[in-house]
């Protein structure tokens, strides 16, 4: 594979200003949090990212786009009270997300639509901070449900308190599925000191930190100021006032504050006196987080430190002490949020370096921290391979480059390459989109002639006139007049089909529309949209059930996250966040003789689809025929199984010679009196194998038209995937196919890795069954023993613990790498000599020595997988097995097993590298017509001929390339 390593794409990651988990911590809950647990990340460009922890497989689900001059400075979640339906069923309350951003309004977001739902403002200063009232305890909520009334519902609803720049504290209510002003809690004083932070102490008291060296407490019912706690004067030689940047409350009522002096102060929640002060930072403490049991405090500051505090000492006199600190971030740590259950305990932090970091809270120092990618999950990159064009977008700007050919093509002509000033990429177009909203998606047609961009409120399409290859010049851009059915409503996602004839629009409500592009009547070089379009209906499915106590995200799980066209553009598949797949096929052949009544300049559109769920009135009975073709639901759509997790990659296998659509090919269809407008019912017969990769890094391949797993997927279940691939932390972002020279390779990539799977080969059977073995030169594992007996002991036990038993951040740190302290395991023997010693963990009760779940699942299907592959014993070399000798034949070794020969093959079944990072995206390129090597068409020795395979542009965006403000340096920091 030829790789163009590029760093010229301008995608500046935005700073993290706010973090918020959707649920409150609960030490009584087990597992890794509720299924609908989400982390909201607010950035300085106005975007809100929704992340799903998904059992430790963190991935970015969706992005709520911001706009021009917008920012997110605070986030919080609430949960509506449970409701009783007419049939007596309890309906979980809705989870709701609110934000502020240096304005006078509080914004509620619609997660399903991806845009603001409502605003609430007033006549007060800019809002600087935001906090939500804690929910009622579960017994009190149960009583409220049984005796529900409007007044009790009002009491049970969570209020929001906001602090303003003029010193005002305002209460908003979220009752009755609304957001409205309730009362002013505190009026501005004479000094009009800013309210920098705010939190709740229980449900009735608000604690606010000010910019005048004070912390004040208010009763939310009558607005009375309960107490004012002074922090004193500022440091000598510094400002006279101390800024209280963060304040939090422990479960026992103790108040914790962090301020501009770098101190964390502990206050008595009953007598309101200072109990302790800890000087742990050399600059401002910007945010705090506390554990659910009140035994741990975390702080982040301008000095890049993330510090952990715990209570030490005996029961009679326990004091807080700094346990450890780390510089996990490269710049200011501005936001922190914690979430805990009985088995899950994490701390999320973020700041100006734009990278979210997950830190183990309860097991701090025993588990690794992990960084989440700062780049988007869906790459903002696309290419027109034959035109060698690379397109990227960010905010409201689209840039298009032309990438030169490979070194081999550049060396032709005059026979040399200028190494001093080599030919480089060229920016041939930069398009600034008018409007306030940020782009949600953009798509470039495969021939490079059409560009479609979308925001949450509109869609725009442009026609690109390209200069000839070798001719200097920029692209001529002309906006295409589109019907109101396209431009009038925004879209989450836009995508062209591979033949550039169809444009699919995923609307904000995840409804689907597909539009036809064709040439104009008068000018064949002009492009127009058909007045007709098809509104594709998805299969009706019941909503996902959620527990009452965890609330509900509504129909957010039906949000479409992936769209894929087949290589011949006649099969369309979409995947949503719940794992469901919907598919449609294109019947008939193109017939340009039909009068399609192309759109000229009127806003008329038509569709014959019914948006209801009644199958009898489906599109199959009255299809919308466009130039002799029409989209129908895949006959085998209901046979496609639901994916066990949300898909990250959906991609059809490409074909070298995709079947071209026949023009005027409906020769056997003739109009009659009963059917004056006939159409063909021919289904596609091309490649229909769909590659699917879930957020758990499990691979499935389906034959879409048959509604079943492909033969390769049946022979290679997800449990057989390499352990290194399944355990990689960063999730997959995209894929590139390589089918040159009869290859069947797919290249998957994440922000820090690149993996190749050869789908013409089967995966090694025993790679998933044992972690013991030697790493060979191809990255696969060869096992020296044929015994299925697993080793037991400290090494095997520790390996299991490192891989599986973590509390939500990284894996456990090996004992050999722990910085201080004695070992965590002891060896117990019975008698002076023991053949079977037992290793016991001192920190917890020893678990029974049973097989690992993954190994059990892997071993269970070994016989079935071997049967599907048609072999009885295999030794895998580079992913291949040699069937030259069976275990039941040939000479015996030690009287029990035959010798199996090893042979070489055409390459590994998989390969990976971590050389490139961080990867923004990878897009394919092809040799232009003028760049084709004439010598490659001549005969010759195949062994000496250079066969590069697929050519791609790999775009990296390293953090050191970001334009960040100057950071703080301490007196003993030398990495300046």
């Amino acid at each position: 594979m030829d790789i163009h390593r590029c760093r010229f794409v301008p995608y500046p990651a935005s700073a993290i200003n706010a973090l918020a988990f959707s649920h409150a911590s609960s030490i009584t809950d087990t597992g890794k949090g509720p299924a609908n647990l989400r982390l909201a990340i607010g950035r300085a460009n106005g975007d809100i990212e929704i992340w799903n922890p998904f059992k430790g497989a963190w991935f970015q689900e969706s992005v709520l786009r911001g706009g021009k001059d917008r920012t997110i400075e605070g986030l919080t979640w609430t949960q509506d009270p449970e409701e009783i339906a007419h049939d007596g069923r309890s309906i979980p309350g809705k989870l709701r997300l609110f934000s502020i951003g240096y304005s006078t309004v509080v914004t509620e977001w619609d997660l399903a639509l991806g845009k603001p739902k409502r605003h609430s403002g007033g006549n007060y200063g800019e809002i600087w901070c935001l906090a939500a009232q804690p929910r009622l305890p579960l017994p009190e909520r149960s009583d409220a449900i049984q005796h529900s009334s409007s007044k009790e519902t009002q009491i049970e609803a969570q209020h929001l308190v906001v602090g303003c720049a003029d010193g005002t504290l305002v209460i908003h209510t979220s009752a009755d599925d609304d957001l409205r002003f309730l009362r002013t809690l505190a009026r501005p004083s004479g000094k009009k000191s800013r309210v920098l932070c705010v939190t709740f102490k229980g449900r009735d008291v608000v604690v606010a930190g000010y910019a005048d060296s004070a912390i004040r407490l208010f009763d939310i019912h009558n607005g009375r100021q309960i107490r004012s706690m002074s922090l004193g004067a500022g440091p000598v030689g510094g400002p006279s006032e101390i800024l209280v940047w963060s304040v939090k409350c422990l479960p026992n009522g103790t108040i914790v504050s962090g301020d501009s002096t770098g101190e964390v102060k502990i206050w008595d929640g009953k007598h309101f006196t200072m109990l302790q002060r800890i000087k742990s930072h050399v600059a401002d403490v910007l945010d705090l987080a506390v554990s659910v049991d009140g035994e741990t405090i975390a702080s982040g500051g301008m000095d890049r430190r993330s510090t952990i505090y715990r209570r030490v000492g005996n029961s009679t006199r326990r004091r807080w002490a700094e346990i450890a600190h780390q510089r996990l971030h490269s710049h200011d740590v501005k936001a922190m949020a914690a979430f805990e259950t009985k088995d899950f305990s994490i701390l999320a932090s973020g700041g100006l370096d734009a990278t979210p970091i997950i830190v183990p809270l309860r097991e701090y120092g025993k588990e690794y921290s992990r960084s989440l990618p700062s780049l988007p999950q869906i790459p903002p990159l696309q290419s027109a391979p034959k035109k060698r064009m690379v397109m990227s977008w960010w905010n409201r700007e689209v840039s298009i480059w032309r990438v030169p050919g490979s070194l081999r093509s550049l060396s032709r002509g005059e026979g040399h390459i200028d190494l001093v000033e080599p030919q480089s990429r060229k920016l041939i177009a930069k398009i600034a989109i008018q409007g306030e909203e940020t782009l949600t998606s953009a798509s470039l047609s495969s021939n490079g002639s059409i560009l479609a961009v979308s925001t949450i409120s509109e869609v725009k399409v442009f026609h690109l006139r390209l200069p000839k290859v070798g001719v200097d010049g920029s692209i001529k851009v002309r906006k295409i007049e589109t019907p109101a059915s396209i431009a009038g409503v925004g879209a989450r996602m836009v995508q062209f089909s591979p033949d550039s004839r169809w444009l699919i629009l995923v609307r904000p409500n995840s409804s689907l529309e597909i539009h036809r592009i064709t040439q104009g009547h008068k000018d064949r070089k002009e492009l127009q949209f058909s007045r007709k379009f098809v509104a594709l209906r998805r299969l009706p499915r019941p909503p996902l059930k959620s527990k009452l106590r965890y609330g509900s995200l509504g129909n957010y799980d039906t949000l479409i996250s992936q769209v894929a066209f087949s290589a011949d553009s006649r099969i369309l598949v979409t995947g949503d966040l719940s794992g469901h797949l919907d598919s449609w096929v294109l019947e008939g052949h193109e017939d340009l003789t039909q009068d399609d009544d192309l759109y000229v300049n009127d806003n008329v559109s038509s569709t014959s689809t019914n948006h209801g769920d009644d199958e009898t009135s489906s599109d199959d009975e009255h299809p919308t025929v466009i130039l002799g073709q029409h989209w129908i639901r895949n006959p085998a759509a209901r046979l496609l199984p639901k994916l066990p997790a949300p898909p990250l990659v959906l991609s059809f296998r490409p074909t070298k010679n995709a079947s071209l659509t026949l023009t005027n090919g409906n020769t056997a269809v003739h109009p009659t009196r009963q059917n004056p407008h006939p159409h063909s019912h021919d289904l596609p017969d091309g490649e229909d194998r769909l590659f699917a990769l879930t957020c758990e890094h499990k691979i499935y391949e389906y034959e879409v038209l048959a509604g079943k797993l492909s033969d390769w997927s049946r022979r290679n279940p997800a449990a057989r995937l390499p352990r290194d691939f399944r355990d990689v932390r960063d999730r997959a972002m995209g894929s590139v196919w390589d089918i040159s020279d009869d290859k069947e390779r797919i290249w998957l990539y994440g922000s820090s890795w690149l993996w190749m799977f050869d789908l013409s080969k089967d995966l090694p059977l025993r790679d998933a069954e044992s972690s013991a073995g030697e790493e060979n030169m191809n990255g696969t594992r060869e096992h020296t023993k044929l015994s299925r007996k697993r080793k037991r002991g400290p090494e095997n036990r520790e390996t299991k613990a490192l891989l599986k038993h973590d509390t939500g951040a990284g894996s456990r740190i090996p004992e050999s790498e722990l910085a201080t302290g004695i070992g965590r395991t002891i060896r117990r023997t019975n008698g002076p000599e023991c053949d079977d010693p037992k290793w016991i963990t001192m920190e917890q009760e020893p678990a029974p020595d049973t097989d690992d779940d993954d190994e059990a699942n892997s071993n269970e299907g070994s016989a079935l997988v071997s049967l599907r592959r048609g072999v009885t014993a295999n030794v895998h070399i580079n992913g291949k097995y040699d069937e030259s000798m069976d275990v039941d034949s040939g000479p015996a070794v030690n009287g029990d097993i035959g010798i199996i020969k090893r042979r070489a093959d055409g390459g590994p079944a998989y390969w990976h590298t971590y050389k490139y990072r961080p990867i923004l995206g990878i897009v394919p390129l092809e040799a232009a017509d003028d760049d084709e090597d004439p010598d490659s068409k001549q005969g010759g020795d195949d062994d000496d001929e250079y066969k590069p395979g697929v050519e791609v542009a790999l775009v990296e965006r390293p953090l050191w390339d970001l334009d960040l403000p100057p950071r703080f340096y301490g007196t003993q920091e030398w990495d300046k």
Side-chain angles (χ1 to χ4, degrees), residues 34 42 59 104 141 143 222 229 258 271 298 340-341 373 387 449-450 457 470 497 502 533 813 855 914 939 948:
F59 72 101
T104 59
R141 292 205 308 270
D143 296 339
N222 53 28
M229 302 180 295
H271 302 288
E340 290 184 283
T341 64
K387 300 297 182 180
S449 63
I450 317 174
S457 60
S497 61
W502 299 94
F533 70 93
I813 302 176
E855 293 188 23
Y914 297 94

Side-chain angles (χ1 to χ4, degrees), residues 461-515:
V461 185
F462 301 91
H463 186 195
L464 309 179
R465 295 282 185 90
L466 310 178
K468 295 183 179 179
V469 178
V471 178
D472 292 337
S474 59
I475 291 181
K476 295 181 180 180
V477 181
R478 184 185 68 85
K479 184 178 179 181
I480 300 177
E481 294 295 333
T482 55
S485 59
I486 297 179
V489 184
R492 283 182 177 269
M493 189 183 305
V494 294
Q495 184 170 326
F496 287 103
S497 61
D499 61 4
S500 304
R501 297 178 180 178
W502 299 94
L503 174 64
I504 181 73
L505 304 179
V506 180
R507 296 301 189 181
N509 61 352
S510 290
S511 62
L512 294 163
E513 295 177 6
I514 189 163
H515 297 259

Side-chain angles (χ1 to χ4, degrees), residues 640-641 699-703 706-714 868:
L640 287 176
I699 294 176
Y700 304 90
E701 189 180 48
Y702 297 107
E703 295 178 7
K708 64 178 183 179
L709 288 172
S710 68
D711 293 337
W712 183 90
S713 191
R714 287 163 57 84
R868 288 172 176 169

Side-chain angles (χ1 to χ4, degrees), residues 388 404-405 409 412 469 926-933:
R388 305 188 64 83
S409 63
R412 295 193 302 272
V469 178
E926 295 179 9
D929 296 338
D930 295 347
D931 290 341
E932 290 185 0
D933 188 359

